[in-house]
């Protein structure tokens, strides 16, 4: 369960940003998580509600975007949404695909209350 | 060993921040930073230590008990005359694995993670302060036995080797795609037991790996009867040779999946915040 330490890092990033903007509080935090990131969104959510207490993000809502798993195929010139354990091109079955979405774990944005 | 690098933590290139105010009192700042950016930063730093010492670093991952330490014991027996090898062992508790490696006559440093179910780049960096890597040819990092999170943490190593023992079921690559997608080599271990296990098919395991669009080599190996050992040693030697060639041209080797990720989420510098567009 590394979601706790991950959330810890997330919160320090958010607190630093809030400080920089002299924000009174953080309204929401948006993160993008793909099925191939190795991170379990529900665990992040639990960890976040545990850790946010007492920080400037105490009242913040955590918004998690689950990004789809998408591969692109150089032979068919297509992009296809696929299952996390089927990363072949669904058209031609090629393994030369590139993952263009689905492994991200990104702090996308922070909404701050600034008076 | 980091007196000269002075890289830890300090985000010297502190953010430039611009922000819009779409709604009164609420400002949305776009960040676009990897949640593991601290780890990734430390991993790059580790990699530069490894590259300065010209040591190829291999991260061994598998479920608990798939035979990682047994693989290392066998490998060391074969290579200790020709190559300088050391091992970093990661376990939740006990020094047992490091003692097993030391019994083979090579240096081993044990990291006990306590409750953490994986190694991270900071733990590996700390270990480097306890061992000499100059002059080594090969450094193995035996990760904590766990098919879930170790794959998400770049340690600064060059290659990922994932073991799948025949007692675990041949559908593991389909159940743990994050781990098996990251493999630069899949080693099917304990093949001496295949005659007793009618439900493990190496071909099914290969098919599941193939479904992850991973064309990496697969070696069937047994530490008990030595089958596959020659193939494994040949792979290792080829990787060492390829790595040294890259170093000669000022490049380095990265696990395939990290390389893809870097291309995919290419971000200029660390700790940079981007304004909302
Ligand atoms: N039959 C057979 N048993 C093996 C083989 N390799 C390892 N084992 C046995 O499997 C058990 C676990 O082996 P280890 O090498 O300790 O496995 P590990 O992956 O290092 O385990 P952890 O570090 O605890 O995750 C031991 O009892 C070994 O003797 C093999 O090739 N064949
Ligand atoms: Mg072990
Ligand atoms: Zn195709
Ligand atoms: Zn250092
Ligand atoms: Zn973990």
């Amino acid at each position: 369960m590394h979601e706790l330490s991950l959330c810890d890092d997330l919160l320090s990033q958010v607190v630093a940003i809030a400080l920089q903007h002299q924000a009174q509080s953080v309204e929401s935090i948006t993160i993008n998580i793909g099925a191939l990131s190795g991170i379990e969104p529900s665990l992040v959510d639990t960890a976040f509600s545990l850790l946010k207490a007492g920080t400037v993000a105490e009242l913040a809502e955590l918004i998690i975007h689950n990004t789809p798993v998408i591969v692109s195929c150089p032979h068919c010139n297509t992009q296809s949404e696929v299952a996390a354990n089927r990363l072949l091109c669904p058209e031609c079955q090629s393994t030369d695909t590139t993952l263009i979405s689905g492994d991200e774990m990104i702090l996308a944005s922070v909404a701050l209350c600034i008076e | 060993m980091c007196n000269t690098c002075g890289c830890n933590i300090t985000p010297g290139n502190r953010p430039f921040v611009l922000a819009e105010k779409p709604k009164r009192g609420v400002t949305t700042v776009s960040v676009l930073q990897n949640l593991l950016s601290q780890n990734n930063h430390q991993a790059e730093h580790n990699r530069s230590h490894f590259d300065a010492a010209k040591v190829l670093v291999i991260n061994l991952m598998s479920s608990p008990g798939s035979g990682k330490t047994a693989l290392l014991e066998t490998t060391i027996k074969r290579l200790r005359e020709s190559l300088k090898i050391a091992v970093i062992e990661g376990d939740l508790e006990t020094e047992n694995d490091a003692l097993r490696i030391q019994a083979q006559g090579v240096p081993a440093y044990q990291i006990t993670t306590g409750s953490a179910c994986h190694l991270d780049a900071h733990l590996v960096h700390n270990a480097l302060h306890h061992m000499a890597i100059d002059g080594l040819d090969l450094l193995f990092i035996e990760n904590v036995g766990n098919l879930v999170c170790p794959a998400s943490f770049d340690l600064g190593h060059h290659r990922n080797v994932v073991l799948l023992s025949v007692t675990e079921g041949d559908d593991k690559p389909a159940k743990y795609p994050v781990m098996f997608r990251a493999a630069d080599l899949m080693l099917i271990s304990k093949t001496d037991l295949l005659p007793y296990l009618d439900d493990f098919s190496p071909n099914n395991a290969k098919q599941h790996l193939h479904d992850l669009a991973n064309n990496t080599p697969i070696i069937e190996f047994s530490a008990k009867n030595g089958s596959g050992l020659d193939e494994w040693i040949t792979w290792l030697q080829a990787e060492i040779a390829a790595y040294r060639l890259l170093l000669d041209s000022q490049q380095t080797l990265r696990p395939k999946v990290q390389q893809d990720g870097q291309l995919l989420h290419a971000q200029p510098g660390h700790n940079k915040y981007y304004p909302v567009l």
Side-chain angles (χ1 to χ4, degrees), chain A residues 15-44:
Chain A
V15 168
I17 295 167
L19 255 177
Q20 219 160 29
H21 289 264
Q22 298 170 343
Q24 268 74 50
S25 63
V26 179
E27 188 170 88
S28 67
I29 300 167
T30 305
I31 59 179
N32 300 341
I33 294 185
L36 284 169
S37 66
I39 292 169
E40 180 51 47
S42 65
L43 294 179
V44 175

PDB file of all heavy atoms in Angstrom, chain A residues 15-44:
ATOM      1  N   VAL A  15       0.280  21.830  -0.813  1.00  0.00           N
ATOM      2  CA  VAL A  15       0.503  22.846   0.216  1.00  0.00           C
ATOM      3  C   VAL A  15       1.498  23.897  -0.287  1.00  0.00           C
ATOM      4  O   VAL A  15       1.307  25.099  -0.091  1.00  0.00           O
ATOM      5  CB  VAL A  15       1.004  22.191   1.527  1.00  0.00           C
ATOM      6  CG1 VAL A  15       1.513  23.230   2.497  1.00  0.00           C
ATOM      7  CG2 VAL A  15      -0.117  21.368   2.158  1.00  0.00           C
ATOM      8  N   ALA A  16       2.531  23.427  -1.005  1.00  0.00           N
ATOM      9  CA  ALA A  16       3.518  24.367  -1.535  1.00  0.00           C
ATOM     10  C   ALA A  16       2.867  25.327  -2.530  1.00  0.00           C
ATOM     11  O   ALA A  16       3.135  26.538  -2.514  1.00  0.00           O
ATOM     12  CB  ALA A  16       4.659  23.595  -2.210  1.00  0.00           C
ATOM     13  N   ILE A  17       1.998  24.805  -3.354  1.00  0.00           N
ATOM     14  CA  ILE A  17       1.332  25.650  -4.351  1.00  0.00           C
ATOM     15  C   ILE A  17       0.404  26.654  -3.662  1.00  0.00           C
ATOM     16  O   ILE A  17       0.366  27.835  -4.010  1.00  0.00           O
ATOM     17  CB  ILE A  17       0.541  24.776  -5.347  1.00  0.00           C
ATOM     18  CG1 ILE A  17       1.508  23.904  -6.154  1.00  0.00           C
ATOM     19  CG2 ILE A  17      -0.292  25.640  -6.286  1.00  0.00           C
ATOM     20  CD1 ILE A  17       0.836  22.789  -6.924  1.00  0.00           C
ATOM     21  N   ALA A  18      -0.309  26.166  -2.643  1.00  0.00           N
ATOM     22  CA  ALA A  18      -1.228  27.041  -1.917  1.00  0.00           C
ATOM     23  C   ALA A  18      -0.476  28.188  -1.249  1.00  0.00           C
ATOM     24  O   ALA A  18      -0.887  29.344  -1.292  1.00  0.00           O
ATOM     25  CB  ALA A  18      -2.005  26.223  -0.882  1.00  0.00           C
ATOM     26  N   LEU A  19       0.674  27.846  -0.659  1.00  0.00           N
ATOM     27  CA  LEU A  19       1.508  28.840   0.000  1.00  0.00           C
ATOM     28  C   LEU A  19       1.971  29.907  -0.977  1.00  0.00           C
ATOM     29  O   LEU A  19       1.906  31.113  -0.710  1.00  0.00           O
ATOM     30  CB  LEU A  19       2.751  28.157   0.571  1.00  0.00           C
ATOM     31  CG  LEU A  19       2.797  27.946   2.066  1.00  0.00           C
ATOM     32  CD1 LEU A  19       4.064  27.181   2.442  1.00  0.00           C
ATOM     33  CD2 LEU A  19       2.737  29.289   2.797  1.00  0.00           C
ATOM     34  N   GLN A  20       2.433  29.418  -2.109  1.00  0.00           N
ATOM     35  CA  GLN A  20       2.956  30.293  -3.137  1.00  0.00           C
ATOM     36  C   GLN A  20       1.932  31.321  -3.590  1.00  0.00           C
ATOM     37  O   GLN A  20       2.263  32.443  -3.918  1.00  0.00           O
ATOM     38  CB  GLN A  20       3.281  29.409  -4.320  1.00  0.00           C
ATOM     39  CG  GLN A  20       4.521  29.784  -5.015  1.00  0.00           C
ATOM     40  CD  GLN A  20       4.954  28.574  -5.807  1.00  0.00           C
ATOM     41  OE1 GLN A  20       4.130  27.761  -6.231  1.00  0.00           O
ATOM     42  NE2 GLN A  20       6.224  28.450  -6.008  1.00  0.00           N
ATOM     43  N   HIS A  21       0.671  30.887  -3.580  1.00  0.00           N
ATOM     44  CA  HIS A  21      -0.403  31.769  -4.045  1.00  0.00           C
ATOM     45  C   HIS A  21      -1.079  32.467  -2.881  1.00  0.00           C
ATOM     46  O   HIS A  21      -2.080  33.143  -3.072  1.00  0.00           O
ATOM     47  CB  HIS A  21      -1.440  30.960  -4.822  1.00  0.00           C
ATOM     48  CG  HIS A  21      -0.936  30.494  -6.135  1.00  0.00           C
ATOM     49  ND1 HIS A  21      -1.171  31.160  -7.303  1.00  0.00           N
ATOM     50  CD2 HIS A  21      -0.167  29.454  -6.466  1.00  0.00           C
ATOM     51  CE1 HIS A  21      -0.587  30.527  -8.294  1.00  0.00           C
ATOM     52  NE2 HIS A  21       0.037  29.491  -7.809  1.00  0.00           N
ATOM     53  N   GLN A  22      -0.555  32.263  -1.698  1.00  0.00           N
ATOM     54  CA  GLN A  22      -1.144  32.818  -0.494  1.00  0.00           C
ATOM     55  C   GLN A  22      -2.630  32.523  -0.419  1.00  0.00           C
ATOM     56  O   GLN A  22      -3.447  33.384  -0.122  1.00  0.00           O
ATOM     57  CB  GLN A  22      -0.867  34.323  -0.439  1.00  0.00           C
ATOM     58  CG  GLN A  22       0.630  34.569  -0.373  1.00  0.00           C
ATOM     59  CD  GLN A  22       0.998  36.033  -0.564  1.00  0.00           C
ATOM     60  OE1 GLN A  22       0.198  36.828  -1.044  1.00  0.00           O
ATOM     61  NE2 GLN A  22       2.205  36.391  -0.196  1.00  0.00           N
ATOM     62  N   ALA A  23      -2.955  31.282  -0.711  1.00  0.00           N
ATOM     63  CA  ALA A  23      -4.358  30.871  -0.700  1.00  0.00           C
ATOM     64  C   ALA A  23      -4.830  30.648   0.723  1.00  0.00           C
ATOM     65  O   ALA A  23      -4.055  30.218   1.579  1.00  0.00           O
ATOM     66  CB  ALA A  23      -4.523  29.588  -1.505  1.00  0.00           C
ATOM     67  N   GLN A  24      -6.108  30.949   0.968  1.00  0.00           N
ATOM     68  CA  GLN A  24      -6.679  30.694   2.292  1.00  0.00           C
ATOM     69  C   GLN A  24      -6.951  29.207   2.456  1.00  0.00           C
ATOM     70  O   GLN A  24      -6.822  28.666   3.536  1.00  0.00           O
ATOM     71  CB  GLN A  24      -8.005  31.457   2.465  1.00  0.00           C
ATOM     72  CG  GLN A  24      -7.837  32.820   3.081  1.00  0.00           C
ATOM     73  CD  GLN A  24      -7.229  33.788   2.075  1.00  0.00           C
ATOM     74  OE1 GLN A  24      -7.704  33.878   0.958  1.00  0.00           O
ATOM     75  NE2 GLN A  24      -6.172  34.472   2.468  1.00  0.00           N
ATOM     76  N   SER A  25      -7.384  28.618   1.376  1.00  0.00           N
ATOM     77  CA  SER A  25      -7.701  27.193   1.443  1.00  0.00           C
ATOM     78  C   SER A  25      -7.692  26.605   0.035  1.00  0.00           C
ATOM     79  O   SER A  25      -7.651  27.328  -0.948  1.00  0.00           O
ATOM     80  CB  SER A  25      -9.064  26.976   2.094  1.00  0.00           C
ATOM     81  OG  SER A  25     -10.051  27.577   1.284  1.00  0.00           O
ATOM     82  N   VAL A  26      -7.750  25.286   0.008  1.00  0.00           N
ATOM     83  CA  VAL A  26      -7.779  24.593  -1.276  1.00  0.00           C
ATOM     84  C   VAL A  26      -9.187  24.069  -1.483  1.00  0.00           C
ATOM     85  O   VAL A  26      -9.754  23.420  -0.601  1.00  0.00           O
ATOM     86  CB  VAL A  26      -6.785  23.412  -1.290  1.00  0.00           C
ATOM     87  CG1 VAL A  26      -6.834  22.672  -2.623  1.00  0.00           C
ATOM     88  CG2 VAL A  26      -5.374  23.910  -0.999  1.00  0.00           C
ATOM     89  N   GLU A  27      -9.768  24.393  -2.629  1.00  0.00           N
ATOM     90  CA  GLU A  27     -11.131  23.958  -2.873  1.00  0.00           C
ATOM     91  C   GLU A  27     -11.178  22.542  -3.449  1.00  0.00           C
ATOM     92  O   GLU A  27     -11.972  21.714  -3.026  1.00  0.00           O
ATOM     93  CB  GLU A  27     -11.831  24.923  -3.821  1.00  0.00           C
ATOM     94  CG  GLU A  27     -13.303  24.595  -3.947  1.00  0.00           C
ATOM     95  CD  GLU A  27     -14.066  25.677  -4.675  1.00  0.00           C
ATOM     96  OE1 GLU A  27     -14.142  25.625  -5.918  1.00  0.00           O
ATOM     97  OE2 GLU A  27     -14.584  26.575  -3.983  1.00  0.00           O
ATOM     98  N   SER A  28     -10.314  22.289  -4.418  1.00  0.00           N
ATOM     99  CA  SER A  28     -10.290  20.937  -4.978  1.00  0.00           C
ATOM    100  C   SER A  28      -8.929  20.630  -5.588  1.00  0.00           C
ATOM    101  O   SER A  28      -8.147  21.531  -5.902  1.00  0.00           O
ATOM    102  CB  SER A  28     -11.384  20.764  -6.025  1.00  0.00           C
ATOM    103  OG  SER A  28     -11.095  21.575  -7.140  1.00  0.00           O
ATOM    104  N   ILE A  29      -8.682  19.327  -5.706  1.00  0.00           N
ATOM    105  CA  ILE A  29      -7.429  18.837  -6.279  1.00  0.00           C
ATOM    106  C   ILE A  29      -7.815  17.829  -7.337  1.00  0.00           C
ATOM    107  O   ILE A  29      -8.603  16.919  -7.071  1.00  0.00           O
ATOM    108  CB  ILE A  29      -6.576  18.151  -5.192  1.00  0.00           C
ATOM    109  CG1 ILE A  29      -6.242  19.137  -4.074  1.00  0.00           C
ATOM    110  CG2 ILE A  29      -5.308  17.544  -5.782  1.00  0.00           C
ATOM    111  CD1 ILE A  29      -5.680  18.470  -2.832  1.00  0.00           C
ATOM    112  N   THR A  30      -7.292  17.984  -8.528  1.00  0.00           N
ATOM    113  CA  THR A  30      -7.637  17.043  -9.592  1.00  0.00           C
ATOM    114  C   THR A  30      -6.421  16.209  -9.970  1.00  0.00           C
ATOM    115  O   THR A  30      -5.355  16.763 -10.269  1.00  0.00           O
ATOM    116  CB  THR A  30      -8.155  17.790 -10.834  1.00  0.00           C
ATOM    117  OG1 THR A  30      -9.242  18.611 -10.434  1.00  0.00           O
ATOM    118  CG2 THR A  30      -8.623  16.813 -11.899  1.00  0.00           C
ATOM    119  N   ILE A  31      -6.583  14.885  -9.904  1.00  0.00           N
ATOM    120  CA  ILE A  31      -5.489  14.019 -10.332  1.00  0.00           C
ATOM    121  C   ILE A  31      -5.985  13.078 -11.438  1.00  0.00           C
ATOM    122  O   ILE A  31      -7.158  12.715 -11.491  1.00  0.00           O
ATOM    123  CB  ILE A  31      -4.893  13.192  -9.165  1.00  0.00           C
ATOM    124  CG1 ILE A  31      -5.946  12.309  -8.512  1.00  0.00           C
ATOM    125  CG2 ILE A  31      -4.283  14.089  -8.123  1.00  0.00           C
ATOM    126  CD1 ILE A  31      -5.391  11.454  -7.382  1.00  0.00           C
ATOM    127  N   ASN A  32      -5.082  12.728 -12.340  1.00  0.00           N
ATOM    128  CA  ASN A  32      -5.395  11.786 -13.415  1.00  0.00           C
ATOM    129  C   ASN A  32      -4.686  10.473 -13.128  1.00  0.00           C
ATOM    130  O   ASN A  32      -3.471  10.452 -12.953  1.00  0.00           O
ATOM    131  CB  ASN A  32      -4.900  12.317 -14.760  1.00  0.00           C
ATOM    132  CG  ASN A  32      -5.531  13.644 -15.120  1.00  0.00           C
ATOM    133  OD1 ASN A  32      -6.574  14.006 -14.568  1.00  0.00           O
ATOM    134  ND2 ASN A  32      -4.905  14.367 -16.036  1.00  0.00           N
ATOM    135  N   ILE A  33      -5.450   9.403 -13.095  1.00  0.00           N
ATOM    136  CA  ILE A  33      -4.861   8.095 -12.810  1.00  0.00           C
ATOM    137  C   ILE A  33      -5.311   7.087 -13.859  1.00  0.00           C
ATOM    138  O   ILE A  33      -6.503   6.943 -14.131  1.00  0.00           O
ATOM    139  CB  ILE A  33      -5.253   7.611 -11.395  1.00  0.00           C
ATOM    140  CG1 ILE A  33      -4.625   8.538 -10.349  1.00  0.00           C
ATOM    141  CG2 ILE A  33      -4.793   6.177 -11.169  1.00  0.00           C
ATOM    142  CD1 ILE A  33      -4.836   8.096  -8.934  1.00  0.00           C
ATOM    143  N   GLY A  34      -4.373   6.413 -14.465  1.00  0.00           N
ATOM    144  CA  GLY A  34      -4.687   5.393 -15.459  1.00  0.00           C
ATOM    145  C   GLY A  34      -4.652   4.005 -14.852  1.00  0.00           C
ATOM    146  O   GLY A  34      -3.988   3.781 -13.837  1.00  0.00           O
ATOM    147  N   ALA A  35      -5.335   3.074 -15.486  1.00  0.00           N
ATOM    148  CA  ALA A  35      -5.397   1.698 -14.978  1.00  0.00           C
ATOM    149  C   ALA A  35      -4.025   1.033 -15.001  1.00  0.00           C
ATOM    150  O   ALA A  35      -3.783   0.078 -14.276  1.00  0.00           O
ATOM    151  CB  ALA A  35      -6.384   0.875 -15.803  1.00  0.00           C
ATOM    152  N   LEU A  36      -3.104   1.543 -15.826  1.00  0.00           N
ATOM    153  CA  LEU A  36      -1.769   0.947 -15.872  1.00  0.00           C
ATOM    154  C   LEU A  36      -0.748   1.747 -15.062  1.00  0.00           C
ATOM    155  O   LEU A  36       0.457   1.594 -15.244  1.00  0.00           O
ATOM    156  CB  LEU A  36      -1.303   0.820 -17.325  1.00  0.00           C
ATOM    157  CG  LEU A  36      -1.956  -0.332 -18.103  1.00  0.00           C
ATOM    158  CD1 LEU A  36      -1.652  -0.232 -19.578  1.00  0.00           C
ATOM    159  CD2 LEU A  36      -1.476  -1.680 -17.561  1.00  0.00           C
ATOM    160  N   SER A  37      -1.224   2.590 -14.167  1.00  0.00           N
ATOM    161  CA  SER A  37      -0.294   3.350 -13.332  1.00  0.00           C
ATOM    162  C   SER A  37       0.154   2.529 -12.145  1.00  0.00           C
ATOM    163  O   SER A  37       1.159   2.841 -11.512  1.00  0.00           O
ATOM    164  CB  SER A  37      -0.963   4.626 -12.822  1.00  0.00           C
ATOM    165  OG  SER A  37      -2.014   4.281 -11.940  1.00  0.00           O
ATOM    166  N   GLY A  38      -0.597   1.490 -11.811  1.00  0.00           N
ATOM    167  CA  GLY A  38      -0.283   0.717 -10.619  1.00  0.00           C
ATOM    168  C   GLY A  38      -0.843   1.353  -9.360  1.00  0.00           C
ATOM    169  O   GLY A  38      -0.515   0.938  -8.259  1.00  0.00           O
ATOM    170  N   ILE A  39      -1.699   2.354  -9.534  1.00  0.00           N
ATOM    171  CA  ILE A  39      -2.268   3.026  -8.365  1.00  0.00           C
ATOM    172  C   ILE A  39      -3.764   2.769  -8.303  1.00  0.00           C
ATOM    173  O   ILE A  39      -4.459   2.838  -9.310  1.00  0.00           O
ATOM    174  CB  ILE A  39      -1.994   4.537  -8.431  1.00  0.00           C
ATOM    175  CG1 ILE A  39      -0.502   4.754  -8.248  1.00  0.00           C
ATOM    176  CG2 ILE A  39      -2.757   5.281  -7.356  1.00  0.00           C
ATOM    177  CD1 ILE A  39      -0.098   6.154  -8.545  1.00  0.00           C
ATOM    178  N   GLU A  40      -4.220   2.468  -7.096  1.00  0.00           N
ATOM    179  CA  GLU A  40      -5.614   2.118  -6.899  1.00  0.00           C
ATOM    180  C   GLU A  40      -6.372   3.378  -6.446  1.00  0.00           C
ATOM    181  O   GLU A  40      -6.171   3.858  -5.331  1.00  0.00           O
ATOM    182  CB  GLU A  40      -5.663   1.009  -5.845  1.00  0.00           C
ATOM    183  CG  GLU A  40      -7.028   0.503  -5.480  1.00  0.00           C
ATOM    184  CD  GLU A  40      -7.868   0.119  -6.680  1.00  0.00           C
ATOM    185  OE1 GLU A  40      -7.353  -0.583  -7.563  1.00  0.00           O
ATOM    186  OE2 GLU A  40      -9.035   0.557  -6.734  1.00  0.00           O
ATOM    187  N   PRO A  41      -7.250   3.901  -7.299  1.00  0.00           N
ATOM    188  CA  PRO A  41      -7.918   5.169  -6.978  1.00  0.00           C
ATOM    189  C   PRO A  41      -8.633   5.165  -5.638  1.00  0.00           C
ATOM    190  O   PRO A  41      -8.558   6.150  -4.898  1.00  0.00           O
ATOM    191  CB  PRO A  41      -8.911   5.351  -8.125  1.00  0.00           C
ATOM    192  CG  PRO A  41      -8.340   4.580  -9.256  1.00  0.00           C
ATOM    193  CD  PRO A  41      -7.621   3.413  -8.643  1.00  0.00           C
ATOM    194  N   SER A  42      -9.295   4.056  -5.284  1.00  0.00           N
ATOM    195  CA  SER A  42     -10.053   4.080  -4.028  1.00  0.00           C
ATOM    196  C   SER A  42      -9.118   4.187  -2.824  1.00  0.00           C
ATOM    197  O   SER A  42      -9.457   4.804  -1.817  1.00  0.00           O
ATOM    198  CB  SER A  42     -10.929   2.837  -3.919  1.00  0.00           C
ATOM    199  OG  SER A  42     -10.124   1.686  -3.819  1.00  0.00           O
ATOM    200  N   LEU A  43      -7.929   3.597  -2.950  1.00  0.00           N
ATOM    201  CA  LEU A  43      -6.959   3.701  -1.850  1.00  0.00           C
ATOM    202  C   LEU A  43      -6.406   5.117  -1.741  1.00  0.00           C
ATOM    203  O   LEU A  43      -6.144   5.618  -0.648  1.00  0.00           O
ATOM    204  CB  LEU A  43      -5.808   2.708  -2.051  1.00  0.00           C
ATOM    205  CG  LEU A  43      -6.180   1.227  -1.959  1.00  0.00           C
ATOM    206  CD1 LEU A  43      -4.964   0.341  -2.201  1.00  0.00           C
ATOM    207  CD2 LEU A  43      -6.785   0.914  -0.600  1.00  0.00           C
ATOM    208  N   VAL A  44      -6.228   5.764  -2.892  1.00  0.00           N
ATOM    209  CA  VAL A  44      -5.763   7.155  -2.877  1.00  0.00           C
ATOM    210  C   VAL A  44      -6.796   8.011  -2.170  1.00  0.00           C
ATOM    211  O   VAL A  44      -6.481   8.860  -1.341  1.00  0.00           O
ATOM    212  CB  VAL A  44      -5.544   7.687  -4.310  1.00  0.00           C
ATOM    213  CG1 VAL A  44      -5.190   9.163  -4.280  1.00  0.00           C
ATOM    214  CG2 VAL A  44      -4.448   6.898  -5.004  1.00  0.00           C
TER     215      VAL A  44
END
